Amino acid sequence: MELILEVISRIVLVGYFFITLLLVGCQIQVRLLSNAQYITYSNYVKEKNMSQYESKTKYYKTVIKGIVFQLVPMLWTVIVIHQGWFTIISGLAFVFVLLETLLGNYSFPEMSNFRLKDWSVLYVKRVAGIVGDIYIVIALVALCFIY
């Protein structure tokens, strides 16, 4: 009976890994769009997300919940894996996830009005998102090999 449960849990974990891998692949494709398309996508998503809530307070509470939902699994992964190099990578991923979430609320101007600050936010947001996505893949691969 234990063997059957073990096999089922591994199949579920590997299935979850592949689903997450597909989602991460889609996110990375969005982050690799051309500058103009990425700016349009970022502004559209922010506007669409904010319009779903009655007030900015509810919107920001939801953003904080989203950050917590991302960081708690990372912390759980670090506790399960128990390796120093993985803890360092996880700490960096924590920072990048927070950076991307905070920069997600940044509204980009039109391309013709871009300043140095706008360009730096654009590329930091992209890089932070890609690093966070890659971390998710590495963490899930590590968990699959451990279990």
Side-chain angles (χ1 to χ4, degrees), residues 3 7 14 17 19 23 28 45 48 52 59 69 84 95 97-99 101 108 111 113 122 132 139-140 146-147:
L3 181 63
V7 169
V14 170
F17 166 70
I19 290 169
L23 293 173
I28 290 176
V45 168
K48 188 174 181 185
Q52 294 176 359
Y59 171 70
F69 283 136
V95 170
V97 165
L98 288 171
L99 256 178
T101 308
F108 293 102
M111 287 286 290
N113 299 334
L122 179 75
L140 288 169
I146 287 172
Y147 288 111

Side-chain angles (χ1 to χ4, degrees), residues 30 33 36-46:
V30 165
L33 290 171
Q37 289 177 314
Y38 185 70
I39 290 162
T40 304
Y41 175 82
S42 296
N43 288 340
Y44 169 74
V45 168
K46 180 188 176 215

Side-chain angles (χ1 to χ4, degrees), residues 2-68:
E2 285 183 31
L3 181 63
I4 293 172
L5 289 175
E6 188 72 26
V7 169
I8 290 171
S9 67
R10 288 186 185 192
I11 289 172
V12 168
L13 186 65
V14 170
Y16 177 73
F17 166 70
F18 283 116
I19 290 169
T20 307
L21 188 65
L22 289 172
L23 293 173
V24 165
C26 292
Q27 287 178 320
I28 290 176
Q29 284 177 349
V30 165
R31 291 186 178 105
L32 295 178
L33 290 171
S34 67
N35 286 336
Q37 289 177 314
Y38 185 70
I39 290 162
T40 304
Y41 175 82
S42 296
N43 288 340
Y44 169 74
V45 168
K46 180 188 176 215
E47 186 179 304
K48 188 174 181 185
N49 286 343
M50 286 190 92
S51 67
Q52 294 176 359
Y53 298 95
E54 297 169 7
S55 65
K56 284 188 176 182
T57 308
K58 287 187 179 181
Y59 171 70
Y60 287 114
K61 282 182 182 177
T62 306
V63 168
I64 291 170
K65 284 180 189 174
I67 294 172
V68 170

Side-chain angles (χ1 to χ4, degrees), residues 63-96:
V63 168
I64 291 170
K65 284 180 189 174
I67 294 172
V68 170
F69 283 136
Q70 285 180 300
L71 296 184
V72 167
M74 284 185 174
L75 188 61
W76 179 78
T77 306
V78 170
I79 291 168
V80 169
I81 292 179
H82 294 301
Q83 292 183 2
W85 64 270
F86 203 83
T87 305
I88 292 168
I89 293 171
S90 300
L92 289 172
F94 268 63
V95 170
F96 281 114

